[in-house]
Amino acid sequence: MSKVTWKPGTFLYPIPAVMVSCGTMEKSNIITVAWTGIINTNPAMVYISVRPTRYSYNLIKEQGEFVINLTTKKLVKETDWCGVKTGEKVDKFKEMGLHKEKANFVKCPMIKESPVSVECKVKEIKELGSHSMFIAEVLAINSDEKYIDDKGAFDISKCDLISYANGGYYETGRKLGKFGFSVENKKKRKKY
């Protein structure tokens, strides 16, 4: 089997499909973002990339903060809808029946229905062309208690997170291993 070569493009899939809440509790918006990820451990830092033409762009730029809300199989319609409609014309929380939840460190609301909400403070904005990258420090991670296992860890298998790939939304699969499992003592190694 040989590989087919295409022109350069955005084909590093799958990636998370997240709903980013921004603004304030009174004047808020949700933008769906797939251009997002982790960029540093200490301090914990993430990024989102947003087109300057999007309504949320100025809300994030002016306020300097946002919340990344992970999305689930149950939220796939809301995730897509919030990426297609503009907050300039509609109240996305109201239209999608989503509930605002007060964050601990930022003025932006968290989305109550999201299993995990990550509070972020913008540290730098990089204008890259079609998108601007908001590089942000993670101020807090908020998880719904029902997704915490008996050891106090987040159990990703309980919440049916979704990802985005080549224009489509996909369910996450089952656990295949953990970091370092390939070099574990064979007697201690769990089957996944």
Side-chain angles (χ1 to χ4, degrees), residues 44 70 104-105 110 115-119 138-143 154:
L70 299 187
N104 296 301
F105 298 97
M110 299 185 293
V116 175
S117 298
V118 182
E119 298 180 53
V138 174
L139 301 179
I141 300 168
N142 305 278
S143 175
F154 179 70

Side-chain angles (χ1 to χ4, degrees), residues 4-100:
V4 175
T5 302
W6 290 306
K7 65 179 182 173
T10 55
F11 203 88
L12 187 59
Y13 295 124
I15 52 181
V18 299
M19 290 190 284
V20 174
S21 46
C22 54
T24 63
M25 291 297 282
E26 298 77 30
K27 183 185 177 188
S28 56
N29 193 43
I30 303 168
I31 181 173
T32 300
V33 172
W35 305 160
T36 185
I38 299 165
I39 55 173
N40 199 51
T41 302
N42 192 11
M45 295 184 80
V46 294
Y47 79 93
I48 60 170
S49 289
V50 180
R51 288 181 184 270
T53 56
R54 298 293 299 264
Y55 176 70
S56 293
Y57 177 87
N58 284 325
L59 291 175
I60 297 168
K61 186 174 182 179
E62 289 167 13
Q63 194 164 327
E65 54 190 28
F66 56 88
V67 177
I68 296 174
N69 300 277
L70 299 187
T71 55
T72 65
K73 183 178 172 181
K74 287 182 181 177
L75 291 171
V76 71
K77 179 181 176 187
E78 293 84 347
T79 301
D80 184 64
W81 197 89
C82 288
V84 173
K85 299 292 184 174
T86 177
E88 197 169 22
K89 297 180 180 175
V90 296
D91 179 339
K92 295 181 186 181
F93 277 96
K94 181 180 174 186
E95 292 295 323
M96 287 289 97
L98 297 169
H99 299 90
K100 297 177 188 181

